[in-house]
Amino acid sequence: MLHPDDLTRAAKLGVIASLQPIHATSDMLMVDRYWGGRGKYAYTFRTQLEAGARLAFGSDAPVEDFNPFWGIHAAVTRRRADGSPGPEGWYPDQRLSVMEAVRAYTHGAAYAGYAENDLGSLTPGKLADLVVIDRDPFTCDPMEIKDTRTLGTMIGGEWKWRAPELD
């Protein structure tokens, strides 16, 4: 949770906003109960992005599951897997687009690890680290993003794992 005076501070200082979107949906009931109205200053993904902060998303495993699609779902919908707190999500003004969330998990995380020249995007000259997934998170119902399954994993241009249905 940020103090209102600090909402744009990370961007002004060039500090990376390293956040775990799944915490927003995991913590929302606790935040509402104990922080009350101040909760609107917690997990301020949209505010940080619009202020110019560089977002770097992660899972915080083993505290939360390492599945990035659960975090992308949380960042995009601001809803739990069961749909709560409702169709608009928790503090819906802080929702991100799928592209913004994916970029924070890929390029943003690579940048935070000083690896943006090698990782974080499918660009000539970078390592071919990628996954094959069972749906298009950019076009599926946002509530289905959390159900995305990995069918294959490539690291450095070599297949490390492939689901049997890909053989």
Side-chain angles (χ1 to χ4, degrees), residues 64-86:
E64 295 284 357
D65 194 281
F66 65 86
N67 187 335
F69 297 106
W70 291 7
I72 293 167
H73 168 265
V76 171
T77 68
R78 306 280 292 198
R79 297 168 72 184
R80 289 183 169 179
D82 67 2
S84 64

Side-chain angles (χ1 to χ4, degrees), residues 103 106-107 110 115-116 118-129:
R103 184 168 174 77
T106 56
H107 192 267
E116 72 275 14
D118 297 317
L119 305 169
S121 64
L122 295 176
T123 307
K126 290 188 177 184
L127 298 174
D129 290 357

Side-chain angles (χ1 to χ4, degrees), residues 117-140:
N117 293 325
D118 297 317
L119 305 169
S121 64
L122 295 176
T123 307
K126 290 188 177 184
L127 298 174
D129 290 357
L130 59 94
V131 294
V132 176
I133 53 179
D134 71 341
R135 70 194 72 216
D136 182 347
F138 296 96
T139 61
C140 73

